[in-house]
Amino acid sequence: MNNSIIKGIGYHVPSQVVTNDDLSKIMDTSDEWIQTRSGIKERRWVKEDEAASHLAIEASKKAIMMANVSPEDIDLVVVGTISSDYFFPGVSAQLQAELGLDKIAAFDLKAACSGFVYSLSVADQFLKTGMYKTALVVGAEAQTKFINKSTEGRDIAVLFGDGAGAVILEPGDSHSGVLSTHLHCDGKDLKYLWMEGPGSSGACQINIDNIQQNPSHYEPHMNGKKVFQNAVVRFPEVIQEALDANDLSIDDVALVIPHQANLRIIQAVAKRMNVPVDKFYANLQRYGNTTAASIPIALCEAYNEGKISKGDIIILAAFGAGFTWASAAIKW
Ligand code: ACO
């Protein structure tokens, strides 16, 4: 069976840069606290009139241009996001309309920080069966619209940022492209990283009483220590799973592109795998954690910096809310 190949990539981030010092003016935090705990120096925030679809459209246009496909060639859109413009429908519907695509299959996928790798895997399966021929796969987030930007929400607010990345996937050959994907979820710990509302559970329905009595239901919450402990186990596991499936060793891999959650997580994973940390690409210093967008943005920047060449093996690895975790092995 033929693999899918990545024909085009693109990313877009909002123009508004928010530094750690900017944050310390609106909440009780400091550049030192944030950098020591996470490695993050600055992030991008959408402006009031921007939403996830605006970022997704710009990233998609760049991927389409690089792939040199025309919009009418695209027959599948999958968008990984947890911060769509509207509660429903998804960003995918907006992309279909705004990019002038035919009335093709388009849907969103809610797997949080694993959303892009999950979306890539889903698109890859459709291409492998021959059901679709050209897929636009996007990770897009405008999640800073939901975070509590006061001292109360500082544990979350300092870590996250906005952005989008996109790829065009097409059928290739059996030697290169997406060699394998592995997806996992363990929902027993879902409350360690979640946003309850708006939702269909009683306490999360949107009504005046709920909003007045439980405003914090409508913002994300995280047990940072539990997230850290799980991430540093799941990342190595799912990277090793990708290696084993393809009869590869980590020495065969040119670059691991991990979800950009936290520099300390990346460093801990490299140490556990006994791999030099520079085998792991990191740009979270400039963007923070952009959830589903982090891997495609990092992929674009790594490529633009000349860190990925034709024939290289790269591994995408994700971990996030759910908990979900996932990997993709790709021969470029
Ligand atoms: N600025 C200053 N102080 C803060 C901030 C902040 N932004 N946020 C929390 N604090 C305070 C807390 O109130 C607490 O104070 P207290 O001790 O007086 O109660 C203290 O800092 C907590 O400090 P630590 O316990 O030392 O924090 P820790 O070292 O655990 O670091 C962190 C917290 C960064 C969240 C860490 O647990 C972590 O890295 N976890 C992983 C979380 C992560 O990366 N999430 C990303 C999203 S999930 C994903 O994408 C996979």
Side-chain angles (χ1 to χ4, degrees):
M1 200 178 274
N2 284 348
N3 297 326
S4 315
I5 52 164
I6 294 179
K7 276 198 75 181
I9 55 178
Y11 78 101
H12 183 77
V13 289
S15 57
Q16 184 179 201
V17 177
V18 179
T19 65
N20 293 344
D21 286 336
D22 292 334
L23 290 179
S24 68
K25 289 177 193 136
I26 57 172
M27 62 185 77
D28 182 10
T29 191
S30 67
D31 178 51
E32 193 273 334
W33 194 98
I34 300 168
Q35 283 213 51
T36 311
R37 303 295 198 295
S38 71
I40 297 165
K41 297 179 180 178
E42 59 187 43
R43 73 284 296 139
R44 305 295 180 100
W45 282 4
V46 284
K47 295 204 175 118
E48 208 40 53
D49 59 351
E50 284 178 311
S53 70
H54 301 114
L55 309 176
I57 288 165
E58 293 311 312
S60 300
K61 283 181 183 166
K62 290 172 192 164
I64 289 169
M65 189 179 288
M66 179 174 167
N68 198 20
V69 294
S70 47
E72 52 269 29
D73 295 329
I74 295 170
D75 51 6
L76 173 66
V77 177
V78 190
V79 181
T81 184
I82 55 166
S83 51
S84 48
D85 297 27
Y86 310 121
F87 190 67
F88 68 85
V91 171
S92 46
Q94 292 168 282
L95 280 183
Q96 184 278 329
E98 293 291 328
L99 296 171
L101 310 182
D102 288 342
K103 293 178 182 60
I104 45 131
F107 56 93
D108 284 17
L109 195 157
K110 198 193 264 192
C113 300
S114 306
F116 180 77
V117 182
Y118 263 66
S119 301
L120 186 79
S121 179
V122 168
D124 178 46
Q125 310 313 310
F126 277 122
L127 264 58
K128 279 200 167 89
T129 63
M131 183 158 174
Y132 298 117
K133 296 267 177 292
T134 305
L136 170 63
V137 182
V138 183
E141 303 289 2
Q143 58 200 339
T144 64
K145 288 271 176 94
F146 305 110
I147 59 178
N148 179 344
K149 297 173 182 134
S150 73
T151 298
E152 261 188 338
R154 64 183 178 175
D155 59 329
I156 293 265
V158 302
L159 299 177
F160 289 91
D162 301 323
V167 306
I168 296 287
L169 268 192
E170 286 201 335
D173 55 37
S174 57
H175 313 296
S176 56
V178 181
L179 305 176
S180 66
T181 55
H182 293 92
L183 313 180
H184 297 281
C185 176
D186 182 353
K188 81 173 174 347
D189 293 332
L190 68 86
K191 293 185 180 177
Y192 288 146
L193 183 55
W194 70 330
M195 183 167 132
E196 294 177 71
S200 54
S201 107
C204 306
Q205 291 168 50
I206 297 193
N207 60 47
I208 295 290
D209 286 347
N210 276 345
I211 292 172
Q212 281 177 346
Q213 284 161 25
N214 304 308
S216 77
H217 282 172
Y218 304 93
E219 62 191 64
H221 293 282
M222 175 179 72
N223 180 326
K225 285 193 168 63
K226 292 286 183 192
V227 170
F228 195 101
Q229 287 160 3
N230 280 275
V232 298
V233 172
R234 297 308 188 186
F235 271 116
E237 264 178 27
V238 83
I239 293 167
Q240 193 60 49
E241 196 173 12
L243 296 174
D244 292 345
N246 295 288
D247 215 6
L248 295 167
S249 95
I250 193 73
D251 297 335
D252 299 316
V253 174
L255 198 62
V256 179
I257 301 185
H259 166 52
Q260 306 286 308
N262 185 316
L263 201 56
R264 287 196 315 157
I265 292 178
I266 294 176
Q267 288 162 344
V269 170
K271 195 167 170 207
R272 278 173 179 247
M273 296 190 73
N274 205 12
V275 172
V277 74
D278 58 7
K279 180 133 327 203
F280 288 73
Y281 186 77
N283 63 358
L284 61 86
Q285 298 87 339
R286 287 176 286 118
Y287 300 124
N289 180 345
T290 58
T291 302
S294 94
I295 289 179
I297 294 173
L299 176 68
C300 290
E301 290 209 329
Y303 177 81
N304 292 343
E305 290 165 20
K307 294 193 164 141
I308 304 173
S309 307
K310 193 162 171 48
D312 279 352
I313 304 279
I314 60 168
I315 306 268
L316 313 182
F319 176 84
F323 289 129
T324 53
W325 60 103
S327 64
I330 297 170
K331 186 164 183 188
W332 200 256

